[in-house]
Amino acid sequence: MKDFDYYLNKIGEIGFVDEIVHSIAYVSGIPSARPSEVVIFEGGEVGTILSLSPESAEVLLLSRQVTKVGNKVARTGDLFQVAIGSGLLGRVVDPLAKPIDSAIPVKDVHLEPIDTQPHGIIGREPVKKPLETGVTLVDLVVPLGKGQRELIIGDRKTGKTEFLLQTIYSQATKGTICIYALIGQKQVDIKKRQEFLEDKKIMDKCIIVASSSSDPSGLIYLTPYTSMTIAEHFRDQGLDVLLILDDMTTHARYYREISLLARRFPGRDSYPGDIFYIHARLIERAGNYKRGSITCLPAAESVLGDLSGYVQTNLMAMTDGHVFFDIELYNQGKRPAVNPELSVTRVGHQAQTPLQRDLSRELMSFLVNYQRMQQFMHFGAEAGETVKSVLRLGAKVDEFFSQRQDEVIAINVNILILAGLWGGIWKEIEGIELKREMEQIVLTYQTDPAYKAQVDQLISSSPSFTELVQFLRQNDEIIVSKIRR
Amino acid sequence: MEALFEKIKTSEEKDKLMEEIDILLNSLFQNKGEAFSILLKTGVRAWLSEYIRAELAKDEANPFEYLKKIKEELNSFKALKLTLAFEPTESNIEKFSYAVKKYLGEKVVIEFSYNPTLIAGCTLTYEGKYRDFSMKSFFNSEFAKIKQDLFIQMAH
């Protein structure tokens, strides 16, 4: 971007700041200003025009430096654009796509507008390819597909961010471009995310777009739009992109602040009337396309497990499902604290193989039955053999689902272990011992290429879950030979 | 009112006149209207006092309506901001005002400001439009054209 004097002489229009209300400046003059146009102040600060009235233009301030009343303003004649390109890979940038991790400038970039119309139906394709998160419970019960928009919702400190980082790790190692948008977060959290990606050596496949809570509201508001524009750039090259927006409830709060300062009429919970539109026009830009895909995982915070909040229900309406992190399960010590009964995936199953779909159905049916049995036992009734066997198996499945927050597990080895569990391989083994043996299988799969190939071949050749279980009952050495008892 | 507005050339004069009209308007409601005649003698400039007396004497005009009309007309005046590299004299102001009123209309006043860094010429701002006719911008643009060659020469 050029300086103030350049635009003043080029456009030939000038305005003056009449009033500043936090992050909004009221500017008189600049008669030909357009909505969403970028303006530059004489001190070098930048803003974008929110709305126009006969007396003044309402400008949303985007710079950290504060402008003053009486300062001159010039139009740039352009809509808001950010510099994007492959040079952003491995970098941490702000919503203006300027690097904040170091002083090294970003190369190989070009300007793109951040606010574009979502694609129509032509050019889009149904979700067909699976997206492995590396989290057992999600991959088997609430599977995701590439191009899906899945809401990650739960109370604060229930493991949402850890799940998102596991997903990034799982996908980045498979070559997916991962973009992590941190919206209004603490500086220390931004640094921690960066360190996580660097420690896992996947930073070269990732971009972090971050705005901290101390940044101007306008800048925080732009964060997800900049991230989506970067995602679209890589999608247009035919690549699969994973975009994480952490989190959209914070984004809604900052937009509410901007709207109230701009004297917009408050609606429900004091949010402006266009809060749905603000998020929907962003989320709609994700999807599966003929060339490339953008899988969007927006995060949302609930309060005391209440899913009926305004912004939360808005986001649930505009996404293809949600993964619910239950605070009660978290307090019981379950990790991840995903509630499979309250989680939904609308398009994830169509990306699964017949085996996986069969497994999902059977597992879900079992979990519902198991939960019913557990509630039954609360009444202190005597349990028959059937109930006891369901409860025993259920406890083992709980053990199977529990996973460390820094661990990702491939879906094929999960299917193998679950089939082994169903086939009775671990009939006599429980608790920590069971977990240890399962981990041995996982470790062997991750470290022994021949074993990995054998397991992958077995899974891909099994037409259904039942047949796989039958096979393992008769040929359990594929599992047993890798366990040291 | 044209005779009154002809005397207003700059925004300072307009603001001064507005202030005096406000004093007179407020005085209409003080001491049951008696303050008006007192302030007409003591609170405003002589020429303005004479002008208003003459106008009010014509057709027995209502003072409140008349003063309110003057105030509305003054509020509709537009300002042309003129930044010069020197402080203008009375004669300069007359000439500038004549040209402005001729080309832009009677209801335009000039807001002068002084910026010696312009070197010569001026900058104009009117209704959001900005034009720079200063020597400073001319020198800057000429320098921008030759600076590359200049730096190369200096390096050698």
Side-chain angles (χ1 to χ4, degrees):
Chain A
M1 192 174 218
K2 304 259 191 321
D3 66 359
F4 172 78
D5 288 325
Y6 169 81
Y7 288 111
L8 188 62
N9 288 309
K10 180 186 167 198
I11 306 287
E13 287 187 14
I14 193 167
F16 296 90
V17 178
D18 289 338
E19 188 184 351
I20 298 176
V21 182
H22 286 280
S23 48
I24 298 190
Y26 292 90
V27 172
S28 60
I30 47 173
S32 307
R34 294 171 292 162
S36 306
E37 186 177 357
V38 177
V39 296
I40 183 166
F41 296 79
E42 68 176 307
E45 302 90 28
V46 163
T48 177
I49 294 179
L50 271 181
S51 70
L52 300 164
S53 69
E55 296 84 32
S56 60
E58 208 171 61
V59 175
L60 179 65
L61 298 170
L62 300 177
S63 295
R64 292 178 182 88
Q65 308 98 293
V66 177
T67 192
K68 292 186 196 135
V69 171
N71 272 5
K72 295 176 191 150
V73 183
R75 290 175 49 218
T76 59
D78 296 321
L79 296 179
F80 195 77
Q81 294 180 320
V82 287
I84 55 171
S86 48
L88 287 172
L89 284 168
R91 303 301 301 270
V92 181
V93 297
D94 70 1
L96 303 177
K98 294 196 182 111
I100 54 176
D101 51 352
S102 70
I104 304 166
V106 179
K107 293 180 188 158
D108 300 327
V109 290
H110 61 278
L111 291 176
E112 286 277 352
I114 66 163
D115 208 353
T116 57
Q117 282 273 48
H119 261 273
I121 293 174
I122 295 172
R124 289 187 189 254
E125 289 223 324
V127 169
K128 283 187 282 210
K129 291 187 286 185
L131 181 114
E132 258 188 59
T133 62
V135 176
T136 308
L137 181 51
V138 172
D139 285 341
L140 296 182
V141 180
V142 197
L144 306 183
K146 287 194 177 170
Q148 186 171 357
R149 291 81 49 92
E150 183 85 355
L151 178 68
I152 311 301
I153 186 167
D155 282 18
R156 52 186 290 278
K157 303 284 182 215
T158 47
K160 299 190 297 295
T161 300
E162 286 73 18
F163 166 74
L164 292 169
L165 289 172
Q166 280 172 295
T167 309
I168 290 180
Y169 180 40
S170 174
Q171 284 300 304
T173 46
K174 290 178 171 58
T176 306
I177 303 293
C178 301
I179 300 168
Y180 197 161
L182 286 146
I183 305 168
Q185 305 266 328
K186 290 184 279 198
Q187 298 267 18
V188 67
D189 288 340
I190 296 170
K191 193 68 190 165
K192 277 185 189 161
R193 308 291 174 262
Q194 184 187 354
E195 281 169 3
F196 173 86
L197 298 178
E198 283 168 355
D199 288 343
K200 296 292 185 192
K201 298 189 185 8
I202 53 171
M203 194 65 198
D204 59 325
K205 281 269 177 285
C206 300
I207 301 168
I208 296 178
V209 182
S211 55
S212 80
S213 45
S214 56
D215 282 338
S217 309
L219 213 55
I220 296 172
Y221 164 73
L222 286 181
T223 314
Y225 295 97
T226 303
S227 316
M228 184 61 79
T229 305
I230 297 171
E232 285 174 335
H233 164 76
F234 289 103
R235 176 210 60 194
D236 291 341
Q237 294 176 1
L239 299 170
D240 292 324
V241 184
L242 172 66
L243 171 64
I244 288 170
L245 305 172
D246 191 2
D247 65 84
M248 295 303 279
T249 37
T250 305
H251 183 257
R253 275 200 290 275
Y254 279 99
Y255 184 65
R256 177 174 60 184
E257 178 186 311
I258 293 167
S259 294
L260 290 172
L261 287 169
R263 297 170 198 151
R264 302 284 186 272
F265 198 81
R268 178 179 162 184
D269 292 354
S270 300
Y271 286 103
D274 62 348
I275 188 68
F276 188 98
Y277 170 65
I278 290 296
H279 288 159
R281 77 170 197 250
L282 172 70
I283 307 274
E284 279 301 306
R285 288 161 67 178
N288 193 28
Y289 295 85
K290 287 192 167 80
R291 285 190 75 231
S293 68
I294 302 176
T295 308
C296 184
L297 301 181
E301 204 176 279
S302 58
V303 179
L304 294 174
D306 180 20
L307 294 180
S308 61
Y310 185 30
V311 171
Q312 291 81 358
T313 47
N314 277 357
L315 289 167
M316 280 158 66
M318 62 184 75
T319 46
D320 304 321
H322 56 269
V323 176
F324 177 49
F325 282 76
D326 197 332
I327 185 75
E328 286 179 16
L329 293 179
Y330 189 87
N331 291 338
Q332 288 168 21
K334 295 217 166 115
R335 306 283 188 274
V338 174
N339 187 327
E341 281 94 38
L342 293 178
S343 299
V344 170
T345 177
R346 297 185 221 266
V347 296
H349 289 298
Q350 66 202 38
Q352 288 185 305
T353 60
L355 166 66
Q356 289 169 359
R357 233 173 279 145
D358 198 18
L359 185 156
S360 272
R361 238 178 277 130
E362 181 127 359
L363 187 54
M364 201 59 218
S365 162
F366 172 79
L367 288 173
V368 167
N369 201 22
Y370 173 49
Q371 203 205 17
R372 207 179 295 147
M373 297 294 167
Q374 281 182 313
Q375 285 168 356
F376 179 66
M377 291 307 296
H378 278 310
F379 294 106
E382 280 237 9
E385 265 317 303
T386 318
V387 171
K388 280 184 188 166
S389 69
V390 168
L391 291 173
R392 265 197 301 271
L393 184 57
K396 290 177 188 176
V397 168
D398 278 344
E399 207 56 62
F400 166 63
F401 282 148
S402 79
Q403 188 174 346
R404 285 195 325 269
Q405 284 172 342
D406 62 343
E407 191 185 14
V408 295
I409 305 174
I411 191 167
N412 280 349
V413 71
N414 276 328
I415 294 172
L416 180 77
I417 295 171
L418 191 67
L421 205 55
W422 239 245
I425 287 177
W426 285 286
K427 206 170 179 176
E428 306 304 326
I429 315 288
E430 284 180 354
I432 300 170
E433 192 55 35
L434 171 67
K435 191 67 192 167
R436 190 186 63 79
E437 291 187 6
M438 287 179 181
E439 281 169 2
Q440 282 178 10
I441 307 289
V442 171
L443 185 63
T444 311
Y445 181 87
Q446 287 170 348
T447 52
D448 184 350
Y451 184 64
K452 180 178 180 301
Q454 187 188 5
V455 169
D456 290 347
Q457 163 62 25
L458 171 64
I459 301 299
S460 60
S461 61
S462 301
S464 73
F465 183 61
T466 318
E467 290 193 33
L468 178 64
V469 170
Q470 279 291 82
F471 176 85
L472 285 176
R473 275 198 184 118
Q474 287 149 18
N475 305 281
D476 61 3
E477 62 280 354
I478 192 171
I479 292 176
V480 171
S481 61
K482 303 299 173 189
I483 299 170
R484 276 192 299 277
R485 284 189 179 159
Chain B
M1 270 182 231
E2 283 72 27
L4 181 65
F5 297 147
E6 270 170 23
K7 291 184 187 290
I8 304 167
K9 296 182 190 62
T10 67
S11 54
E12 284 88 4
E13 287 169 3
K14 180 195 117 180
D15 292 339
K16 174 86 182 144
L17 180 60
M18 187 78 103
E19 218 179 280
E20 288 171 323
I21 298 294
D22 273 334
I23 290 171
L24 291 174
L25 265 172
N26 291 335
S27 70
L28 288 170
F29 305 103
Q30 291 169 359
N31 285 347
K32 294 177 189 170
E34 287 172 10
F36 177 72
S37 43
I38 296 167
L39 279 169
L40 205 51
K41 271 189 225 164
T42 60
V44 298
R45 289 170 286 180
W47 67 265
L48 180 62
S49 172
E50 201 182 302
Y51 178 82
I52 288 178
R53 260 188 244 277
E55 286 297 311
L56 290 178
K58 276 185 210 173
D59 307 323
E60 291 174 13
N62 181 326
F64 177 75
E65 291 298 332
Y66 181 71
L67 290 172
K68 210 169 121 195
K69 196 152 189 301
I70 294 179
K71 192 170 169 183
E72 275 166 17
E73 292 289 326
L74 285 174
N75 276 332
S76 70
F77 269 55
K78 292 177 193 163
L80 177 128
K81 292 189 177 97
L82 178 63
T83 307
L84 300 167
F86 62 97
E87 291 193 63
T89 60
E90 194 67 39
S91 152
N92 295 142
I93 293 173
E94 289 276 348
K95 284 183 187 158
F96 289 137
S97 178
Y98 174 76
V100 163
K101 285 184 191 291
K102 181 179 170 189
Y103 291 110
L104 297 177
E106 286 296 324
K107 292 194 181 173
V108 180
V109 291
I110 306 175
E111 190 178 315
F112 285 98
S113 57
Y114 167 57
N115 182 2
T117 64
L118 293 181
I119 306 169
C122 67
T123 65
L124 294 164
T125 302
Y126 179 66
E127 288 196 311
K129 301 265 191 324
Y130 175 85
R131 297 290 181 271
D132 190 339
F133 300 110
S134 66
M135 288 309 290
K136 177 185 171 187
S137 73
F138 174 76
F139 287 145
N140 280 341
S141 60
E142 290 301 310
F143 178 66
K145 286 177 201 167
I146 60 166
K147 76 175 175 190
Q148 190 75 358
D149 294 332
L150 207 60
F151 287 149
I152 292 168
Q153 278 177 33
M154 280 165 63
H156 294 307

